[in-house]
Amino acid sequence: MTHTDRTPGDRTSTGHTPIDHTPVDHPRPGRGDRTRAARRRTLRREVPSIVGLLADERDFAAMRSYRSFTFDDHAAYLRQLDGLLRALAKQGVHTTVALFDPEEFAAYCADTGLDPDTPASRSRFTAAIPASGAAVAYDGRPIDALVPQLINTAVRRATWEYVTTLLADLGACADCGQDIGRAAFDRASHILLRLLEEAGPGTHHLVCSVPAGDEQLLAVLHADRYEGAPPPGHATSLDGGLSPDGAPALFDTSEAAEFVSVLAAGVALEGAGGVVLRTTTPGTPDRLHGWRLAAGGLLPLTEGEVFSAYCTDADTGEPLSPEPGVEYRAGFDLRLDDTGTHH
């Protein structure tokens, strides 16, 4: 699935026209022809590509109902797609991989009056996906690693859209008139800063889980804190901010916004949910802490509760072996004030 009409491995890519192998004398290309061809190749590297990817067997089976979609094996399709991406990368072409959803494609064709059973229609839909759907830049990773990344991007996007709508729809507090969603977001931002401040130096992995109706909202944040300045050559894609005690806290801003939004939903709904924190520092065991949502804040779990949460199978309730080299600790007191709350 690409914005071009053919892909390597597609049975239509060679066509059905008989090939005449009789030797033919062709004139040698002149210098001007070679120059124009070289310029076209150079220009081709300036044109980005968008490749639509059918991530699972179910979506792949749905597309097989179209006669013009000629693949018949999902594993072979993924191998051919991997080859296409590597070939484009060799040419120096920037490629975006977009998650192709057959249901959204059918709706798009119905809305635009396009025939869904043509490569051109698939190309037009694929070109539009990055504007509103899940898409990632191809960075050379193999297809079996690219598919989970793309699915995770789609889940994160869906969670973000759901949470922002939920917070916007909460309206104003009947007692104080404050916007509940905005107040919850401010409160969640304050909680995150306190978490990072109290966690101290190290590499931190935070997970926030909040049930909301039929949805289980989940957000993950990776953050680094240093005693002093970040080490030289630290990735510039990370955004640096100062925690309240002045030590650098480095994190991806989009991850942080998603984390705060999910936490804000838990704060606003005043329901179940919680946060777990895993901290890694050189030369010491990883430390695991946990909290549960309550009264617009986070209450620390005991050491036993943290151990039970990590060492119990969520589906069966059976105990699991503790992870080697990990310390299970109680959540620490965040000493939260009323910042971001409404009354």
Side-chain angles (χ1 to χ4, degrees):
M1 313 296 300
T2 72
H3 73 295
T4 58
D5 290 350
R6 307 288 189 202
T7 58
D10 188 330
R11 291 199 298 269
T12 64
S13 62
T14 59
H16 300 285
T17 303
I19 301 175
D20 185 355
H21 295 284
T22 304
V24 177
D25 290 330
H26 295 288
R28 297 181 63 183
R31 182 175 180 180
D33 294 330
R34 291 195 297 270
T35 300
R36 285 191 290 272
R39 287 174 177 171
R40 282 195 297 270
R41 288 193 296 271
T42 300
L43 186 60
R44 177 68 185 94
R45 290 194 290 270
E46 303 285 339
V47 180
S49 290
I50 303 173
V51 176
L53 187 151
L54 295 161
D56 58 40
E57 292 274 5
R58 179 181 173 184
D59 288 346
F60 182 81
M63 293 306 296
R64 289 195 62 204
S65 63
Y66 300 114
R67 292 184 62 187
S68 62
F69 183 77
T70 56
F71 286 98
D72 54 17
D73 180 82
H74 188 237
Y77 159 83
L78 291 177
R79 287 194 299 271
Q80 294 292 336
L81 199 65
D82 186 59
L84 171 64
L85 292 170
R86 285 187 281 108
L88 289 170
K90 271 188 175 180
Q91 297 170 26
V93 177
H94 175 79
T95 304
T96 298
V97 184
L99 190 65
F100 195 102
D101 186 310
E103 292 184 3
E104 292 181 2
F105 170 63
Y108 172 85
C109 290
D111 291 341
T112 57
L114 294 174
D115 177 3
D117 200 358
T118 67
S121 295
R122 294 195 291 273
S123 296
R124 286 185 59 177
F125 174 71
T126 298
I129 295 175
S132 59
V136 298
Y138 178 65
D139 58 5
R141 71 184 61 194
I143 200 74
D144 58 352
L146 184 63
V147 169
Q149 181 195 17
L150 195 55
I151 293 174
N152 179 61
T153 300
V155 171
R156 287 177 56 189
R157 188 182 187 106
T159 299
W160 171 260
E161 291 174 352
Y162 180 89
V163 170
T164 52
T165 300
L166 184 154
L167 293 175
D169 289 345
L170 290 174
C173 174
D175 295 328
C176 68
Q178 277 189 291
D179 183 282
I180 297 175
R182 169 50 61 185
F185 191 90
D186 291 343
R187 176 70 165 171
S189 299
H190 178 63
I191 291 173
L192 175 58
L193 287 177
R194 295 292 302 135
L195 278 166
L196 293 176
E197 179 185 13
E198 293 296 328
T203 297
H204 306 296
H205 178 85
L206 299 99
V207 179
C208 181
S209 178
V210 174
D214 296 332
E215 302 289 335
Q216 183 67 34
L217 306 176
L218 191 71
V220 177
L221 175 63
H222 302 272
D224 291 292
R225 282 199 58 205
Y226 301 94
E227 293 282 7
H234 198 283
T236 55
S237 60
L238 293 178
D239 182 75
L242 293 179
S243 62
D245 63 356
L250 303 175
F251 46 78
D252 183 278
T253 52
S254 61
E255 273 193 5
E258 292 163 11
F259 185 92
V260 169
S261 295
V262 170
L263 181 56
V267 169
L269 296 175
E270 297 184 345
V275 171
V276 292
L277 165 68
R278 181 175 187 139
T279 297
T280 301
T281 52
T284 63
D286 283 7
R287 305 184 301 278
L288 294 175
H289 303 269
W291 296 261
R292 63 180 177 87
L293 277 162
L298 291 179
L299 293 182
L301 297 178
T302 66
E303 183 177 316
E305 288 172 326
V306 173
F307 181 89
S308 177
Y310 273 95
C311 300
T312 302
D313 190 297
D315 296 324
T316 66
E318 295 294 319
L320 300 173
S321 300
E323 187 178 347
V326 173
E327 296 180 352
Y328 300 87
R329 297 186 178 183
F332 37 79
D333 185 4
L334 298 177
R335 304 193 306 274
L336 296 172
D337 54 29
D338 291 334
T339 300
T341 58
H342 66 93
H343 305 281

